[in-house]
Amino acid sequence: EFVWNAADVGASGAPAHDTVVDFNSDEGDVLNLSYLLSGPGAHTIEGVDNGSGDLQLNIKDGGNTVQEIELS
């Protein structure tokens, strides 16, 4: 399980960036973003193609990206 929480995010203009290279849902891997998406200061999530064909999740605070999670 890959877990992110409020301490993992960066700031507007300087987002934190993580790359997950060994994610395999067939092996039971999950992305746990629940700490970022609920409660006070909850963030929003946007999935985008990062240009290389991989999925990138952008975690946003007030419309500004504060965390990038790239699945390759």
Side-chain angles (χ1 to χ4, degrees):
E1 179 176 27
F2 299 89
V3 179
W4 283 265
N5 59 50
D8 296 320
V9 300
S12 177
H17 183 91
D18 292 307
T19 302
V20 178
V21 294
D22 56 354
F23 183 85
N24 187 333
S25 61
D26 291 336
E27 294 177 0
D29 288 344
V30 295
L31 300 178
N32 184 342
L33 307 173
S34 61
Y35 295 111
L36 298 178
L37 302 175
S38 62
H43 297 79
T44 58
I45 187 169
E46 170 186 59
V48 297
D49 182 330
N50 68 0
S52 66
D54 296 328
L55 175 65
Q56 179 172 307
L57 302 175
N58 292 334
I59 310 302
K60 297 188 171 211
D61 181 12
N64 298 308
T65 299
V66 294
Q67 172 74 53
E68 300 167 338
I69 302 170
E70 182 178 345
L71 303 174
S72 61

